[in-house]
């Protein structure tokens, strides 16, 4: 124990010494640390962050040392882990869940020489805190297009987790893209009030299927909705969420939204190494490679597949924005005028359904 | 049979399936508590059963062996509880809670490498033309064998507790272990068997989640089902048939709230989500208001350790 403390102290001393003047011209070696909210084995959110960690290690080899801790609860425990990591010589710490927001900002104020990166948050109280997120709604639009084109019952479903802008944005993007190609389409939203509860997610999928819905998108973390759809022998289709979920190819999983954190992690650690690191508020999407659209399988007709890929490429090229006016809010009031695209601020604070979505958002 | 856009037949059929894990675990825990032992480790035993059953089913390719594996895994974990509370006389509440935490950790370790695998399929019991009957067919004759097994276990437990010598002895141990000991019954041996039975049932309930409900393994798959099972035992005032009603009520309302949402109901989601818990509180109040503690029917020696030297 003593030796470890000694080592930690020595490492910290080194880090401080290097921080003294080394940042401007970069560093020789970076220790990158990650805290995960769930187990790596969740098959979704945390699994994908861990893939990013592995990508960093592979990209920089000897020049980077990575360290991670799984299943860190949001709250006081996170503060303890963050402190340990900062004392343990980490140069940059990635906190990969929204709920770490206050802890990250509290600890960052105490360790001005350590860089903190907080996923999906919006607070950057000190200069060493950056935030990053991904434009998942772009992927939702591609899913909506496929669902709108292929649905036979004209009823598509969405298993929502919590009523936060991130999720509402996804529902709206999914519905708008579907309605554009199929004016008769209706979306049904079921709120599961959980990120991860496989049994409940399966029940939610079943409830949707019982209502005659034949396309299910989910905003929860497990593969349970796909497993439930698989029981219908191809009558009900769905999408991989967060991770590719390739084991459900070619159906019911017809495509997927993959969270690809690797490029961002590599960019940030690389910037620290070569001295170009700056505080950012990053929100990349398909164009930046943070959101990947998984392989569209043969269960999708060729022309629909081509259309979906064209949409993906148009989003990547910046020629198409999933929220392009005219769009009204659910109550009929105008939101976006003809040709206007949604400002990021509107999206990040989104608390309303667009016109045509039925039901209320739980408060 | 449509009410508010919800097909009642489909609802009843799916709630019977949804309730199986908590029903199996609750029946096991009911027997344990009737013998005077409070094992709060149901959640831990369920998740150990879920991964144990999953590994057994995937390796052997047989879902039936999977359920057996789940039961064995659950019983093995409950044996740890038995050792600590019966031999070393550890506090039952603390040991039970520790068992849950331990089970969650061990299951996560054992589950490494089992993510994303599909287990062998557990099919419906072929009951021929019976399954095509209107209304009754989907409700009664179109389930897998575990659904029937869970109901049979309720009946068997009820009969054993009520009408057999074994049941009488078990209840005597739970009501007054001193008196049972004075009569020459092996209190700790009977409790050990009850604990192992409870562990096996919880393990099977867990295996049902990973093999049928969700069909896959992910960390933390039981997501609190064990705690609901514990609540159902109290809700049922330690009576098997009431446990069946309790489990179906919980399963039913959780299904109903998702179905109501999918059907576009105007009732806010939050009220539907809290409904099962409100009903539990209501039932507990009604039951305990009438005949006092006797009405609650709690075993008198519940949670107390026994040692023959006292």
């Amino acid at each position: 124990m003593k030796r470890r403390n000694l080592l930690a102290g020595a490492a910290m001393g080194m880090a401080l010494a290097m921080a003294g003047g080394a940042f401007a011209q970069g560093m020789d070696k970076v220790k990158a640390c990650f805290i995960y909210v769930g187990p790596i084995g969740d098959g979704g959110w945390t699994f994908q962050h861990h893939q990013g960690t592995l990508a960093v290690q592979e990209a920089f080899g000897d020049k980077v040392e990575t360290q991670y801790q799984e299943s860190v609860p949001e709250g006081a425990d996170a503060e303890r882990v963050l402190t340990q990591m900062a004392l343990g010589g980490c140069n940059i710490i990635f906190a990969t869940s929204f709920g770490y927001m206050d802890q990250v900002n509290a600890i960052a104020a105490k360790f001005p020489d350590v860089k903190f990166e907080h996923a999906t948050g919006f607070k950057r109280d000190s200069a060493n805190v950056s935030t990053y997120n991904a434009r998942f709604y772009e992927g939702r639009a591609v899913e909506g297009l496929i669902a709108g084109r292929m649905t036979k019952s004209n009823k598509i479903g969405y298993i929502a987790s919590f009523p936060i802008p991130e999720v509402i944005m996804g529902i709206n993007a999914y519905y708008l893209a579907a309605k554009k190609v199929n004016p008769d389409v209706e979306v049904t939203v079921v709120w599961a009030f959980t990120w991860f509860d496989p049994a409940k997610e399966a029940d939610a999928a079943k409830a949707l299927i019982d209502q005659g819905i034949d396309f299910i998108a989910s905003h929860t973390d497990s593969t349970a909705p796909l497993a439930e759809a698989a029981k219908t022998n191809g009558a009900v289709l769905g999408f991989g969420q967060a991770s590719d979920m390739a084991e459900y190819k070619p159906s019911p999983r017809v495509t997927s939204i993959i969270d690809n954190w690797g490029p961002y992690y590599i960019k940030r650690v690389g910037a620290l190494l070569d001295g170009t690191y700056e505080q950012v508020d990053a929100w990349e999407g398909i164009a930046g490679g943070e959101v990947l659209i998984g392989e569209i399988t043969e269960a999708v007709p060729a022309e629909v597949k081509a259309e979906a890929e064209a949409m993906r490429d148009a989003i990547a090229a910046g020629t198409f924005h999933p929220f392009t006016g005219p769009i009204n809010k659910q109550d009929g009031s105008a939101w976006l005028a003809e040709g206007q695209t949604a400002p990021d601020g509107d999206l990040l604070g989104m608390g309303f359904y667009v016109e045509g979505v039925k039901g209320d958002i739980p408060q | 049979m449509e009410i508010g856009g919800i097909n009642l037949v489909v609802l009843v059929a799916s709630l019977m399936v949804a309730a199986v894990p908590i029903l199996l675990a609750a029946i096991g825990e009911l027997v344990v508590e009737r013998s005077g032992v409070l094992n709060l480790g149901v959640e831990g035993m369920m998740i150990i059963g879920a991964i144990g059953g999953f590994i057994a089913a995937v390796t052997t390719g047989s879902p039936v062996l999977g359920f057996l594996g789940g039961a064995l895994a659950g019983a093995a974990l409950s044996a740890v509880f038995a050792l600590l509370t019966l031999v070393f006389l550890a506090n039952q509440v603390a040991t039970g809670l520790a068992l849950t935490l331990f089970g969650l950790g061990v299951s996560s370790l054992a589950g490494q490498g089992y993510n994303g695998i599909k287990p062998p399929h557990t099919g419906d019991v072929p009951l021929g033309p019976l399954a095509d009957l209107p209304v009754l067919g989907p409700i009664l004759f179109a389930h897998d064998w575990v659904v029937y097994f869970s109901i049979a276990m309720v009946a068997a437990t009820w009969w054993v507790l009520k009408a057999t010598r074994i049941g009488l002895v078990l209840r005597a141990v739970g009501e007054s272990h001193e008196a049972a000991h004075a009569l020459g019954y092996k209190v700790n041996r009977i409790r050990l068997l009850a604990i192992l039975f409870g562990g096996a049932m919880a393990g099977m309930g867990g295996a049902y989640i990973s093999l049928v409900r969700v069909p896959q393994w992910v960390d933390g798959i039981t997501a609190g089902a064990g705690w609901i099972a514990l609540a159902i035992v109290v809700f049922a005032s330690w009576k098997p048939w009431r446990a069946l009603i309790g489990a179906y009520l919980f399963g039913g309302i959780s299904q109903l709230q998702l179905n109501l949402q999918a059907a576009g109901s105007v009732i806010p989601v939050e009220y539907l989500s809290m409904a099962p818990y409100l009903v539990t509180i209501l039932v507990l109040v009604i039951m305990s208001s009438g005949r006092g503690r006797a009405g609650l029917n709690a075993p008198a020696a519940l949670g107390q350790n026994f040692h023959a030297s006292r």
Side-chain angles (χ1 to χ4, degrees), chain B residues 152-177:
Chain B
M153 282 313 292
V154 174
T157 306
W158 166 75
W159 186 76
V160 168
L161 285 176
K162 175 179 180 288
T164 68
R165 187 183 169 80
I166 303 171
L168 190 63
V169 172
L170 185 93
R171 282 188 287 145
V173 168
E175 293 299 333
S176 169
H177 46 218

Side-chain angles (χ1 to χ4, degrees), chain A:
Chain A
M1 209 45 209
K2 270 186 175 163
R3 207 169 100 206
R4 183 186 293 174
N5 286 344
L6 195 72
L7 282 174
M12 191 175 87
M14 261 169 68
L16 288 175
M18 286 163 87
F23 269 126
Q25 62 265 52
M27 303 168 72
D28 294 333
K29 184 166 169 130
V30 163
K31 183 169 178 187
C33 304
F34 299 79
I35 70 174
Y36 303 142
V37 69
I40 292 169
D42 73 348
W45 179 258
T46 294
F47 177 80
Q48 287 302 126
H49 280 287
H50 189 62
Q51 293 299 308
T53 307
L54 297 178
V56 167
Q57 187 70 64
E58 194 177 319
F60 297 108
D62 291 344
K63 290 171 78 181
V64 66
E65 179 189 349
T66 57
Q67 182 194 332
Y68 60 84
Q69 186 149 353
E70 292 177 83
S71 300
V72 178
E74 296 170 345
D77 277 341
E79 198 156 328
R80 187 172 52 75
V81 173
L82 285 165
T83 309
Q84 261 176 12
M85 283 181 165
L87 286 174
C90 297
N91 304 109
I92 182 164
I93 300 175
F94 293 89
T96 65
S97 184
F98 180 78
Y100 298 141
M101 184 152 65
D102 293 333
Q103 288 78 29
V104 166
N105 282 287
I107 302 297
K110 293 183 198 161
F111 295 92
D113 294 330
V114 179
K115 305 297 177 195
F116 290 81
E117 297 267 346
H118 180 224
T120 69
F122 54 79
K123 271 195 199 169
R124 291 171 296 279
D125 290 348
S126 13
N128 56 336
V129 180
S130 293
T131 54
Y132 61 103
N133 198 354
R135 294 176 187 268
F136 301 117
Y137 68 87
E138 296 180 347
R140 294 290 173 196
V142 177
E143 290 182 351
L145 174 104
I146 295 174
R149 279 278 184 233
M150 287 181 68
T151 175
K152 295 186 183 75
S153 61
N154 288 332
K155 283 169 146 183
I156 60 176
Y158 197 104
I159 301 173
S161 44
F162 291 97
I164 57 174
E166 173 74 43
V167 176
I168 296 165
M169 207 188 311
I171 296 167
N172 285 334
Y174 180 63
Y175 173 73
L176 284 172
K179 198 181 78 167
K180 200 169 171 188
V181 295
N182 181 352
D184 296 328
V185 84
E186 278 182 24
V187 68
T188 303
V189 182
V190 169
W191 295 94
F193 283 98
T194 179
W195 287 114
F196 182 75
D197 180 347
K200 194 165 192 186
E201 294 169 45
D203 286 345
K206 189 156 195 319
L208 288 170
I209 294 168
D210 288 347
Q211 290 297 321
I213 278 144
D214 60 1
F215 255 99
I216 298 175
S218 56
H219 213 121
T220 47
D221 290 351
S222 89
T223 53
L226 285 175
E228 193 64 37
K231 292 180 188 166
T232 63
N233 292 322
V236 177
L237 301 174
F239 307 98
Q241 163 65 4
S243 189
D244 194 30
M245 303 189 176
E247 62 271 25
Y248 290 94
K249 274 186 198 173
S251 124
R253 171 225 168 275
V254 294
T255 184
S256 59
I257 297 177
I258 305 170
D259 307 356
N260 184 30
W261 303 108
Y264 180 75
Y265 290 167
I266 291 171
K267 188 166 85 187
R268 299 301 278 168
V269 173
L272 203 53
L273 279 168
D274 62 27
T276 55
Y277 188 93
E278 278 176 353
Q279 181 183 32
V280 295
D281 170 18
W283 202 24
E284 297 286 345
I286 292 178
E290 271 193 21
V291 176
L292 298 180
I293 304 298
E295 183 204 340
I296 301 174
T297 65
E298 63 264 27
V300 179
E303 67 273 16
V304 177
K305 181 177 176 177
E307 199 179 350
E309 284 171 348
M311 179 193 259
R312 176 195 67 195
D313 297 341
I315 292 173
T319 53
F320 173 71
H321 191 294
F323 292 102
T324 305
I327 300 174
N328 290 343
K329 295 184 184 180
Q330 188 184 34
D331 58 14
S333 61
W335 176 37
L336 296 177
E338 175 83 43
Q340 191 191 350
T341 58
D344 283 356
D346 278 20
L347 292 178
L348 289 169
M350 196 171 236
F352 58 87
Y353 283 145
V354 296
E355 195 171 42
V357 180
K358 295 211 170 61
D360 295 317
I361 298 169
Q363 295 306 308

